[in-house]
Amino acid sequence: MKAPEHSEPPGPDDTAGPEDTTGPDDTAGPEDGITVRDPVSAPDVDGKPRRTTRRFPLFTRDTARPEGGGRAAAGDAPAPARQWPVLTVALLVGLGLLLTALDVFRWGTFLIGAALLVGAALRWAMSGVGMLAVRSRFTDIATYGVLGLTIALLALMVQPKPVLKLPFLQDILHFTVS
């Protein structure tokens, strides 16, 4: 009889006897008494949890859920209803792109910037925003807010006949080009 390739001495919870025919390819299920304490501690080859500490590993092997990465609606709701915040922002951006394609450039790009500002407001006001949560709450709000505000302000300053005129921009241009 040939010995298994990766054998370990039996531990106190091993009850392997002659009737045990499990091989190395068998997976450990809930009937084996193995519990995973947190979603990051995945079982190793032998089926035992790898991590027993709350410290992050040196090398990341999987992705942790974002801070607000839960569903935005109840689990029994259909998939689009569960992700309404990101769908709202995506539909506003899509409408802005459509307006831009129909040669209403200023208001189309303004709507795209406003959609990002709506995303920042939703991320700030709600704890569960579904897939709108990509990074930490602060990073998401800062990213959506800065990009949205920049796009909206640039859309209002588009030539000819800008809606928003900033006189110091003309001075900066003359200072840098002269």
Side-chain angles (χ1 to χ4, degrees), residues 67-86:
E67 177 186 330
R71 294 181 172 135
D76 58 345
R82 289 194 307 255
Q83 297 297 333
W84 70 267
V86 74

Side-chain angles (χ1 to χ4, degrees), residues 99-119:
L99 286 175
T100 303
L102 294 175
D103 210 22
V104 188
F105 179 77
R106 180 185 321 253
W107 301 113
T109 53
F110 180 77
L111 186 59
I112 292 170
L116 290 173
L117 290 173
V118 166

Side-chain angles (χ1 to χ4, degrees), residues 17-139:
E19 69 275 1
D20 187 17
T21 58
T22 59
D25 294 333
D26 293 340
T27 58
E31 64 274 3
D32 294 333
I34 296 172
T35 58
V36 179
R37 288 181 289 281
D38 60 309
V40 181
S41 66
D44 61 4
V45 176
D46 298 326
K48 296 180 182 169
R50 246 187 272 159
R51 278 191 32 215
T52 58
T53 175
R54 293 188 55 94
R55 299 178 87 190
F56 285 107
L58 183 60
F59 298 105
T60 306
R61 301 206 189 324
D62 56 359
T63 305
R65 286 179 52 190
E67 177 186 330
R71 294 181 172 135
D76 58 345
R82 289 194 307 255
Q83 297 297 333
W84 70 267
V86 74
L87 287 176
T88 302
V89 173
L91 288 174
L92 287 173
V93 168
L95 183 61
L97 289 173
L98 180 66
L99 286 175
T100 303
L102 294 175
D103 210 22
V104 188
F105 179 77
R106 180 185 321 253
W107 301 113
T109 53
F110 180 77
L111 186 59
I112 292 170
L116 290 173
L117 290 173
V118 166
L122 286 173
R123 186 68 172 104
W124 177 72
M126 297 176 53
S127 60
V129 289
M131 291 179 5
L132 191 62
V134 179
R135 297 157 295 264
S136 71
R137 181 179 296 237
F138 174 78
T139 306

